[in-house]
Amino acid sequence: MPGWYFDKQELKHTPSGAAGLDYKTEMRYRKEGARFIIDTGMKMDLGYNTTATGVVYYHRFYMFHSFQQFPRFVTACCCLFLAGKVEETPKKCKDIIKIAKALLADNKFATFGSDPKEEVMTLERVLLQTIKFDLQVEHPYLYLLRYAKCLKGDKAKLQKMVQMAWTFVNDSLCTTLSLQWQPEIIAVALMYLAGKLSKFEVVDWVGRNPAHLRWWDMFVEDVTMDLLEDICHQVLDLYSQPEVKSSSESPPPGASRPAAASPSNQSTSRQSNGATTSTTASSASTASSTSEKTQISPETVPPPVNTRIPPPSDVPYPYQTFTHAPPPISYGTPVSFAPPVNTPPPLLGPSPIPSLLSAPPPNAFPPFVNQPPPFTPVVPPPNASFFGNGLPQGHTRHRPPFFPP
Amino acid sequence: MQNNHHSGHPNSTAMNMREKEKYIENFNFPFCEEASKYQKVAKIGQGTFGEVFKARDINNPKKYVAMKKVLMDNEKEGFPITALREIRILQLLKHDNVVNLIEICRTKASAANRYRSTFYLVFDFCEHDLAGLLSNVNVKFSLGEIKKVLQQLLNGLFYIHYNKILHRDMKAANVLITKLGVLKLADFGLARAFSTNKNGMPNRFTNRVVTLWYRPPELLLGERNYGPPVDLWGAGCIMAEMWTRSPIMQGNSEQQQLTLISQLCGSINPQSWPGVEHLELYKKMELPQEQKRKVKERLKPYMKDPYAIDLLDKLLVLDPSKRADADTALNHDFFWTDPMPCELGKMLANHSQSMFEFLAPARRATQINRHHAIPRPTTSAVQDSGYQDRVF
């Protein structure tokens, strides 16, 4: 007590919901606040750890208070302020506010009232009590790097996979995953996703033993494919959500989604996807939504989150090169839209966009790119089993309680 | 549409100040109980960032706690980073020889406190601190009891160092002892996490830590890349104090402290301590040369036990890299020869009154050192907020 993990039902019954905020808007507020923390953190040269800690505080805070009561950007600033102190990278409150003012539209910054610093300071006490002074938070990054060190295979491909997974972890902060699953599991899931998309097949790993069906069996127990896919989808959903350009502008509610964008019933079915039990049904439904999703033309797809917090510079090879830009990886001709299901995220859009697979100029990662990579949903490629002889396609496993009480 | 007023007009949705105050006043924080569940009994000390009170649990009158107030009056940057550090470290450390943090309590926000609650760290209550016990002539430790005290002290240090935490304020007053004789390291207000430099980058910690009398030579010479040996120097000072009953090196300046150390442990130079010449203050401080090491000689009159003297000699080593670590010290014959360490409970049962240094300064000054009637220094880094230059 208290657990900081919630099931999907609990996530739908938050104080904001009780006060009349619809679920989608709440998720958008969470995403906007998280991204704002990430952006502010980046502008202030705060490390990925501090930023991620701030975001976790933010998500926890709104499990006990509503967005109606506490405007999200004030809370976001407060979370980052506290995280800075906790992670030994303190920033002055007034400096955080200065950045906030620069990043936010005037009407948003107005929520800070007439004395913004006072506003944030007062909130800090509320925040500390709300999060039970549970200051120490772990993030998937650590596990991502730890696990990657155990994987054998082509170094360049591994590196690319880790970079991609790292980006997914960054983006996962904009979801409520940190309220649902331990960082170990999120790391495994997003490495699984990145492995799939970058076609990095893990066939061997350090410490392998016959009881291990998959590499992650070494690190986490009873993680089912359904669970992994559910986690991956929560991240992938970020890229398919109608996104208002950057965090500076919220759409009026009910503002028209891009006309051709995924029909809302589709994303609804995705939301309930976690409940799917039959793998056959699940892959069938994902497969069908795949084809729909890959039809989406780039103009109609909203910008993705794609926030980047670079991996730490002090991580030894092969990760040290990740600090700013992954090395160029040639994938032949850029793939156009509607790629085959098993294509890794290709470059999209009219201009050369820094994305995972291209080498952007050093230091030139824009916080947001304009176009999303058309991430393919997580389904085994039609004619290749990702895990070789590992998992049969129809493998069904019920989802046991992950952590026994 | 319900959403309309959420996004369009921020001011209409956010609470105004009065509403917010009301909200905070009435919100029942599920994880942070009110300090009023405890009833203050007496002030028992002054911690690094606030006062400490003994208090009684109202729902369980036999249960006593120590409440350490988080002082926030002069904080420009909200909740003090030192308090956050202490909380985080205490939440991590759970060991019989480390003080136990029960919870963090708050006072209710109200108009009276400008809607700013005060926070208290709530600890299991310990009846005595070692400085208080040593300052009372009626408290007599047998050799086996001294061994028990030091064994527990080193056990605690071994545990915190194993968890990559430096205490950085070892002194007799921060060593608590329950009436049953269980020793608890306390006051982690200056503690911090350390890492053995993994990527060749030396640490840059502040060296303005540890109460002067217990401060090791490497800190006095400006070392910033230090580690667990700083706490073992303090352990050595405390060890000697078990027999001398007062701190063995009571300097009144950093320079004088270094002189006292040289007079006891021998001259500080590259022969006794290879590499010392690279320390920042090596050239700036006056280091008496031609001093012989006299640890054994000077403490023999107090410490008759040869094993005790030998262990002390291995703790009060100038070169931190040669100083015994907690594990080595615990394996020393001192702890494994007769008389073996024995429980303190029986001896302490003769003393029903709490002994804290805070409550006994006058007694201490008169009784032990006629010429040392100066007040004990507290940690320098606290008084002059030494951490601030590092932090902001």
Side-chain angles (χ1 to χ4, degrees):
Chain A
M1 167 31 228
W4 288 118
Y5 297 106
F6 303 85
D7 65 32
K8 287 191 172 171
Q9 277 314 304
E10 291 170 313
L11 288 172
K12 286 191 171 162
H13 293 96
T14 57
S16 305
L21 193 69
D22 67 281
Y23 182 72
K24 261 188 211 137
T25 310
E26 171 161 1
M27 287 303 129
R28 180 164 64 79
Y29 284 180
R30 284 183 180 273
K31 183 161 76 168
E32 285 177 6
R35 193 192 290 167
F36 170 76
I37 292 173
I38 294 166
D39 291 349
T40 310
M42 289 235 304
K43 274 227 155 53
M44 305 193 78
D45 282 326
L46 287 167
Y48 60 94
N49 225 34
T50 301
T51 308
T53 298
V55 174
V56 173
Y57 292 166
Y58 177 83
H59 285 306
R60 290 181 181 177
F61 182 87
Y62 284 113
M63 293 310 288
F64 296 94
H65 306 279
S66 72
F67 282 98
Q68 294 94 322
Q69 282 151 338
F70 292 96
R72 58 197 183 282
F73 296 109
V74 180
T75 308
C77 279
C78 187
C79 291
L80 188 62
F81 175 59
L82 180 63
K85 289 190 281 186
V86 168
E87 301 289 353
E88 303 282 347
T89 53
K91 293 288 173 194
K92 286 182 178 167
C93 190
K94 72 167 165 46
D95 293 338
I96 294 179
I97 288 166
K98 206 185 288 171
I99 304 286
K101 189 164 200 275
L103 285 178
L104 294 172
D106 287 349
N107 68 327
K108 294 258 169 60
F109 190 72
T111 58
F112 285 73
S114 55
D115 187 349
K117 187 180 165 187
E118 186 67 19
E119 196 75 16
V120 173
M121 295 290 208
T122 308
L123 189 61
E124 190 188 35
R125 293 158 195 259
V126 181
L127 174 61
L128 280 165
Q129 295 171 68
T130 305
I131 63 171
K132 197 198 160 212
F133 284 88
D134 265 349
L135 306 164
Q136 184 81 43
V137 185
E138 291 203 315
H139 304 296
Y141 301 108
L142 168 82
Y143 297 101
L144 167 55
L145 296 177
R146 187 180 295 168
Y147 299 164
K149 281 180 189 155
C150 296
L151 304 186
K152 295 181 181 169
D154 182 82
K155 282 268 181 291
K157 282 191 140 188
L158 172 64
Q159 183 178 335
K160 184 158 59 92
M161 184 272 268
V162 172
Q163 169 70 79
M164 196 188 277
W166 189 277
T167 308
F168 286 140
V169 172
N170 289 343
D171 291 348
S172 76
L173 294 172
C174 296
T175 69
T176 53
L177 277 171
S178 64
L179 294 176
Q180 301 170 53
W181 301 105
Q182 288 83 347
E184 293 91 327
I185 299 171
I186 297 174
V188 164
L190 298 181
M191 285 173 83
Y192 163 76
L193 175 61
K196 217 158 241 245
L197 295 179
S198 66
K199 288 187 165 171
F200 178 74
E201 190 176 344
V202 182
V203 287
D204 198 13
W205 54 91
V206 182
R208 182 172 193 173
N209 87 33
H212 296 151
L213 205 53
R214 282 107 13 140
W215 64 264
W216 56 81
D217 293 331
M218 221 168 51
F219 303 108
V220 291
E221 282 178 10
D222 290 331
V223 173
T224 64
M225 294 309 288
D226 279 351
L227 169 55
L228 290 191
E229 296 215 350
D230 177 59
I231 292 173
C232 296
H233 281 311
Q234 291 193 48
V235 173
L236 291 174
D237 278 343
L238 286 170
Y239 307 103
S240 60
Q241 278 162 15
E243 177 67 33
V244 200
K245 44 178 176 171
S246 95
S247 59
S248 61
E249 189 57 64
S250 303
S256 55
R257 290 154 150 254
S262 44
S264 54
N265 62 351
Q266 183 183 319
S267 64
T268 327
S269 76
R270 168 61 52 72
Q271 286 301 340
S272 57
N273 182 328
T276 319
T277 44
S278 147
T279 309
T280 337
S282 146
S283 42
S285 77
T286 7
S288 73
S289 75
T290 301
S291 49
E292 278 175 54
K293 281 208 165 167
T294 49
Q295 305 294 314
I296 298 166
S297 76
E299 298 83 59
T300 61
V301 181
V305 182
N306 251 4
T307 46
R308 288 167 197 275
I309 308 171
S313 53
D314 59 348
V315 183
Y317 180 83
Y319 313 112
Q320 58 199 5
T321 52
F322 293 169
T323 311
H324 290 298
I329 292 157
S330 162
Y331 253 76
T333 43
V335 192
S336 57
F337 340 123
V341 179
N342 55 350
T343 318
L347 281 180
L348 252 206
S351 56
I353 305 144
S355 93
L356 297 175
L357 301 181
S358 70
N363 298 319
F365 273 126
F368 311 110
V369 291
N370 300 318
Q371 301 291 342
F375 286 110
T376 51
V378 193
V379 279
N383 42 14
S385 166
F386 180 65
F387 286 106
N389 4 345
L391 259 197
Q393 295 236 344
H395 182 76
T396 332
R397 248 168 103 181
H398 272 286
R399 189 166 153 184
F402 182 68
F403 279 98
Chain B
M1 299 262 296
Q2 54 174 3
N3 272 348
N4 240 340
H5 64 270
H6 293 313
S7 40
H9 313 281
N11 286 327
S12 68
T13 63
M15 293 182 283
N16 66 35
M17 212 45 170
R18 178 160 312 149
E19 285 167 346
K20 189 173 288 177
E21 286 166 353
K22 207 82 212 145
Y23 177 87
I24 295 173
E25 187 169 355
N26 294 326
F27 191 85
N28 185 25
F29 292 93
F31 313 130
C32 193
E33 295 199 52
E34 282 185 48
S36 58
K37 72 187 266 197
Y38 299 107
Q39 181 185 24
K40 281 181 193 171
V41 177
K43 180 172 171 176
I44 52 173
Q46 191 77 44
T48 46
F49 61 81
E51 301 160 304
V52 186
F53 297 92
K54 178 180 181 178
R56 187 199 315 258
D57 187 341
I58 287 181
N59 298 315
N60 180 8
K62 281 189 186 145
K63 168 82 183 161
Y64 286 95
V65 297
M67 297 176 75
K68 186 167 171 178
K69 186 176 178 176
V70 180
L71 207 64
M72 292 185 61
D73 298 345
N74 299 320
E75 287 297 332
K76 288 197 198 89
E77 292 298 326
F79 201 86
I81 191 168
T82 46
L84 291 171
R85 221 178 255 155
E86 177 165 16
I87 290 168
R88 209 158 53 110
I89 287 171
L90 287 165
Q91 285 171 344
L92 168 78
L93 301 176
K94 294 293 166 204
H95 187 270
D96 218 27
N97 297 125
V98 174
V99 71
N100 177 44
L101 177 69
I102 302 170
E103 62 180 334
I104 295 155
C105 280
R106 64 193 163 99
T107 59
K108 214 167 169 56
S110 69
N113 56 25
R114 288 174 51 239
Y115 300 95
R116 303 194 144 196
S117 7
T118 305
F119 294 102
Y120 291 91
L121 312 196
V122 183
F123 298 94
D124 285 329
F125 182 70
C126 296
E127 283 72 16
H128 313 285
D129 72 44
L130 191 55
L133 288 173
L134 292 174
S135 69
N136 185 331
V137 279
N138 299 316
V139 178
K140 296 191 170 68
F141 290 98
S142 70
L143 183 56
E145 286 162 351
I146 289 179
K147 288 185 182 185
K148 188 71 183 177
V149 168
L150 294 171
Q151 191 176 44
Q152 295 185 75
L153 180 100
L154 290 164
N155 255 329
L157 279 184
F158 177 81
Y159 173 79
I160 69 165
H161 292 163
Y162 182 81
N163 281 285
K164 302 276 173 226
I165 300 293
L166 299 178
H167 186 282
R168 305 201 300 181
D169 199 11
M170 289 296 290
K171 57 175 169 179
N174 284 342
V175 174
L176 306 183
I177 297 185
T178 69
K179 65 173 180 222
L180 297 175
V182 182
L183 176 146
K184 313 267 183 189
L185 298 179
D187 199 345
F188 285 75
L190 281 177
R192 69 157 296 151
F194 70 95
S195 54
T196 27
N197 3 347
K198 28 183 193 307
N199 37 27
M201 287 291 287
N203 293 316
R204 298 271 301 157
F205 300 152
T206 175
N207 46 46
R208 299 163 77 186
V209 285
V210 189
T211 305
L212 187 58
W213 296 349
Y214 298 84
R215 201 177 300 167
E218 64 267 29
L219 292 184
L220 292 163
L221 290 172
E223 176 68 276
R224 296 173 70 100
N225 183 26
Y226 55 81
V230 299
D231 289 336
L232 283 135
W233 179 271
C237 296
I238 293 170
M239 179 177 182
E241 203 171 331
M242 292 299 299
W243 283 272
T244 63
R245 311 283 293 208
S246 76
I248 54 169
M249 291 178 282
Q250 308 185 6
N252 50 30
S253 67
E254 306 192 355
Q255 175 59 62
Q256 199 200 353
Q257 192 68 28
L258 274 170
T259 306
L260 291 172
I261 290 173
S262 303
Q263 286 164 356
L264 181 67
C265 302
S267 299
I268 296 172
N269 54 44
Q271 285 75 54
S272 63
W273 178 355
V276 66
E277 65 274 20
H278 303 304
L279 292 182
E280 218 171 296
L281 302 178
Y282 177 72
K283 294 225 163 62
K284 297 195 178 109
M285 299 300 241
E286 210 177 291
L287 298 173
Q289 293 303 303
E290 312 295 322
Q291 298 288 325
K292 275 224 251 359
R293 185 169 172 87
K294 297 182 202 114
V295 174
K296 292 189 169 179
E297 179 188 331
R298 283 193 33 204
L299 284 147
K300 240 174 215 150
Y302 300 90
M303 310 164 68
K304 306 277 191 284
D305 185 76
Y307 293 112
I309 288 277
D310 189 67
L311 174 55
L312 182 69
D313 192 48
K314 292 185 159 69
L315 289 171
L316 293 181
V317 170
L318 293 172
D319 182 346
S321 69
K322 298 198 200 99
R323 208 171 292 152
D325 62 16
D327 188 43
T328 309
L330 283 166
N331 282 319
H332 193 276
D333 287 344
F334 176 62
F335 296 111
W336 305 98
T337 46
D338 280 335
M340 289 295 279
C342 66
E343 296 302 326
L344 300 155
K346 222 181 243 168
M347 180 273 284
L348 290 170
N350 299 326
H351 305 279
S352 56
Q353 211 184 356
S354 266
M355 276 163 274
F356 290 110
E357 189 200 29
F358 174 76
L359 302 171
R363 188 171 45 188
R364 185 174 181 78
T366 49
Q367 163 193 305
I368 305 147
N369 304 301
R370 274 151 291 136
H371 52 283
H372 277 141
I374 42 169
R376 285 178 160 241
T378 51
T379 318
S380 66
V382 178
Q383 286 166 337
D384 58 22
S385 320
Y387 64 90
Q388 279 193 336
D389 56 344
R390 179 169 47 107
V391 166
F392 290 113

